[in-house]
Amino acid sequence: MSTTAEAVRRRRHTLYFLEWAAAQRPVHLDTDVDMTRVQAHRAAARDNGRRYSVVSYLLYAAGRVLDRHPEANAVMAPGWPALLRRPRIVRFDGVTAKVALDRPVEGERTVLSALVPGLEAANLREIQQRIDRYRGEQAAELPEFKGVRMLGRLPVPLGRAAFAAALRDPHRRAGVFGTVSVSSLGHGTVDGFHSAGGTAVTLCAGRVVDRAVVRDGAVVPAPMMRLGLTFDHRVIDGATAADVLSDLHHTMETFDDGTWAPDPGPDPRRTDRDLRPLGGLEQGTR
């Protein structure tokens, strides 16, 4: 059996990130979100010729929630020398998401990170417009990804140094790396997953799939989505992370962007008492 070794080029930025992010102390939480209202809103929008992705709804909710929980919209500031300097945390005024994208870069499948700023005030249409900008097969050629292309061309020592330099000043981190990371694998058969995106909070969305749940004593189908939250324990504690996830859960299940008011059906806020997943999968949707 013969083997070959290939030098990594297009994914160097991912490897540099993983080396840098090794300092995080990730802890994982998750919850099941009833997507009834979101799916109804998506269907009504499609009927009016407008398409919204599940990720856009998650970004919309994340912006509002982190604006209400500024302690989680933060980053651990690097200190030097590490043993002599007091730990510092930098909090951000605005919410900027770093969204993971699966796109080809010069023929090689690669994860790119696109920034979506101003989420604390952006409406759903504005968020979707930013997402649509990154959907094309040529997204890697956009000016936003010039740094990624450069890292793939630089010699490794210079690439590592350039990556570290871009993240050295925590006050500039929002414009380089975002303040919250968002990733979705809902296009496949993934129900849930966790990752650490280099921010204090990373949100991971699985697929939306009909599951059997109990409402008012009756078993009914409901579109459910597993939402994972990974937090950096250096920045926030578990109680704060649980509050953030609970607020996200509530905001997604009671979605209302102020422009549309359908019949909401059963109140998903009764989840803790009346909505209990029973298991079983049917056809997933996204």
Side-chain angles (χ1 to χ4, degrees):
M1 179 181 296
S2 61
T3 60
T4 59
E6 297 181 358
V8 176
R9 289 192 58 197
R10 309 305 170 210
R11 295 184 63 253
R12 283 183 186 173
H13 63 286
T14 299
L15 300 183
Y16 298 152
F17 159 73
L18 292 173
E19 293 171 354
W20 173 83
Q24 282 196 292
R25 297 296 181 266
V27 180
H28 311 293
L29 309 175
D30 63 57
T31 188
D32 288 317
V33 179
D34 184 346
M35 299 288 283
T36 298
R37 287 181 67 95
V38 168
Q39 294 294 65
H41 187 276
R42 294 181 76 200
R46 283 195 299 269
D47 290 343
N48 287 289
R50 190 169 297 280
R51 179 188 178 280
Y52 292 118
S53 69
V54 171
V55 168
S56 293
Y57 291 91
L58 181 54
L59 292 173
Y60 180 93
R64 273 65 184 173
V65 169
L66 289 179
D67 190 49
R68 293 193 289 265
H69 299 270
E71 65 276 16
N73 194 45
V75 68
M76 176 64 69
W80 188 90
L83 296 179
L84 301 180
R85 189 168 187 174
R86 291 182 300 173
R88 295 177 301 142
I89 292 175
V90 174
R91 295 183 179 178
F92 302 103
D93 293 332
V95 182
T96 298
K98 182 189 71 161
V99 182
L101 305 170
D102 179 18
R103 295 291 183 270
V105 178
E106 299 184 14
E108 184 174 343
R109 193 172 184 177
T110 306
V111 175
L112 299 176
S113 297
L115 296 183
V116 183
L119 287 179
E120 70 280 2
N123 60 44
L124 194 62
R125 181 177 299 186
E126 292 168 338
I127 293 171
Q128 187 62 50
Q129 287 173 345
R130 291 298 297 264
I131 296 298
D132 288 342
R133 174 174 170 78
Y134 302 124
R135 284 189 177 278
E137 289 297 314
Q138 303 302 316
E141 302 304 317
L142 292 172
E144 291 94 320
F145 303 119
K146 179 180 178 181
V148 170
R149 298 193 296 269
M150 179 192 71
L151 288 175
R153 300 187 184 105
L154 286 175
V156 170
L158 290 179
R160 282 196 175 100
F163 188 91
L167 297 176
R168 184 168 294 124
D169 184 354
H171 299 279
R172 297 179 56 244
R173 188 74 59 80
V176 178
F177 221 49
T179 67
V180 59
S181 300
V182 176
S183 184
S184 171
L185 294 177
H187 59 283
T189 57
V190 176
D191 290 323
F193 69 104
H194 294 282
S195 66
T199 48
V201 169
T202 300
L203 304 176
C204 303
R207 62 177 174 168
V208 178
V209 63
D210 282 348
R211 297 182 185 274
V213 300
V214 176
R215 282 189 180 137
D216 298 324
V219 178
V220 297
M224 305 296 293
M225 183 184 77
R226 182 73 48 77
L227 178 62
L229 183 151
T230 296
F231 68 95
D232 187 349
H233 211 330
R234 302 174 305 167
V235 182
I236 59 175
D237 292 324
T240 298
D243 288 344
V244 171
L245 185 58
S246 296
D247 199 349
L248 278 166
H249 183 278
H250 175 79
T251 303
M252 293 286 286
E253 290 198 343
T254 60
F255 173 79
D256 182 5
D257 64 352
T259 64
W260 177 81
D263 178 5
D267 187 351
R269 285 175 291 184
R270 295 178 299 191
T271 298
D272 292 339
R273 185 179 72 252
D274 299 322
L275 183 60
R276 300 187 297 275
L278 298 182
L281 300 178
E282 297 182 12
Q283 181 68 33
T285 57
R286 199 71 183 170

